[in-house]
Amino acid sequence: MAGRHTMGKATDIVHGTIELLILKTIGMEPIQGWGAAKRIHELSHQVIRVREGSLHPALVRLHAQGLIRPHLVQSGNRTKRLYSLTNAGRAQLRKELARWDRLSDAVDAIVHPEGVKVDKV
Amino acid sequence: MRGKAIDIVQGTLNMLIFQTLAEKPLHGWGIRERIHELSKNALQVRVGSLYPALSRLQKRGLITFRRVRTKKGLMGKRYNLTRAGRAQLRQEIAHWDRLSAAVDRVAHYAKGYANEQITSQPAPRPTSVPAPQSPSNPRLM
């Protein structure tokens, strides 16, 4: 999680979740890189957009760490590169989910001390 | 407490500093202690992140400080939230709620698992989150 982006915004903390979100969408079904970004955008109700400039480096990193595996699939006269999770990727996804829940619950406990937020139980 | 405390990143740190100062004026170490305590020891602020952040927030007029003598007789800065800081806090909480709800929607999406073991997943969170107010302005990541 780099802390050098937009100061004073919660964006940073979400920035640190990009790998979690990519692992999550790839874990749902084998998917192309742009497809993962599209799904994140859709599932977040258009709140989170993963730019090409963040997506590609993240995929390279996840692949280098052995967390995702690309495979080429012939579709008509085009070759698609689909990504799926490795076993290590699945374990990492669980770990990052737990970390996010713990972090976001802790932040919520501070900014919503009366537990006024109803969508986080 | 499970695992070790998580370091807070910059953007969220500002919001948490404002929140603790909204309760009462505090010294730097008091802010660190309060964040640690309110988060039930889940969050820790590094000294190397806190003081630069306080200095930036003060330059932006969001917090002010008074020099006061501590119990040990040392001079220290006690920080106070300004009116602008209070407004900024409200804005940042709204922003955090919107973004964290969006991450939750993706992270806890439970349908369409083709190669994920559903039994190992935590129960999905209720999805009664308010719809984002301006879908035309997605946060760039």
Side-chain angles (χ1 to χ4, degrees), chain B residues 94-114:
Chain B
H95 188 76
W96 157 256
D97 286 347
R98 181 161 174 263
L99 280 174
S100 61
V103 171
D104 275 340
R105 279 195 290 270
V106 182
H108 291 287
Y109 185 75
K111 279 180 244 161
Y113 276 86

Side-chain angles (χ1 to χ4, degrees), chain B residues 53-70:
Chain B
L54 289 173
S55 162
R56 276 192 298 268
L57 295 174
Q58 188 249 323
K59 283 187 190 124
R60 290 167 63 198
L62 301 172
I63 61 176
T64 52
F65 66 84
R66 287 178 62 181
R67 289 192 183 276
V68 289
R69 199 172 289 278
T70 64

Side-chain angles (χ1 to χ4, degrees), chain A:
Chain A
M1 288 203 196
R4 59 195 161 77
H5 297 266
T6 44
M7 209 173 69
K9 290 275 158 78
T11 319
D12 293 348
I13 203 161
V14 178
H15 187 94
T17 66
I18 183 169
E19 295 189 356
L20 159 64
L21 300 182
I22 291 174
L23 287 175
K24 170 70 185 189
T25 49
I26 290 177
M28 284 158 60
E29 62 181 340
I31 197 169
Q32 286 175 278
W34 67 268
K38 184 162 168 271
R39 179 157 286 171
I40 290 169
H41 191 237
E42 284 167 3
L43 291 179
S44 72
H45 297 179
Q46 289 78 44
V47 174
I48 301 169
R49 188 147 61 96
V50 183
R51 283 187 300 192
E52 184 68 38
S54 308
L55 175 69
H56 188 67
L59 290 171
V60 169
R61 258 191 327 266
L62 294 171
H63 185 208
Q65 291 166 23
L67 302 176
I68 62 174
R69 180 176 39 222
H71 32 111
L72 301 177
V73 175
Q74 204 63 33
S75 162
N77 54 1
R78 295 188 56 196
T79 306
K80 291 203 280 187
R81 178 190 288 259
L82 298 182
Y83 290 96
S84 60
L85 289 189
T86 62
N87 284 336
R90 243 179 289 283
Q92 181 69 17
L93 170 58
R94 279 193 292 274
K95 220 167 87 174
E96 292 201 12
L97 265 175
R99 186 179 186 281
W100 161 253
D101 284 346
R102 186 152 165 270
L103 179 63
S104 58
D105 285 350
V107 172
D108 277 338
I110 298 176
V111 299
H112 298 295
E114 291 93 29
V116 285
K117 244 168 88 79
V118 289
D119 58 310
K120 296 219 178 178
V121 184

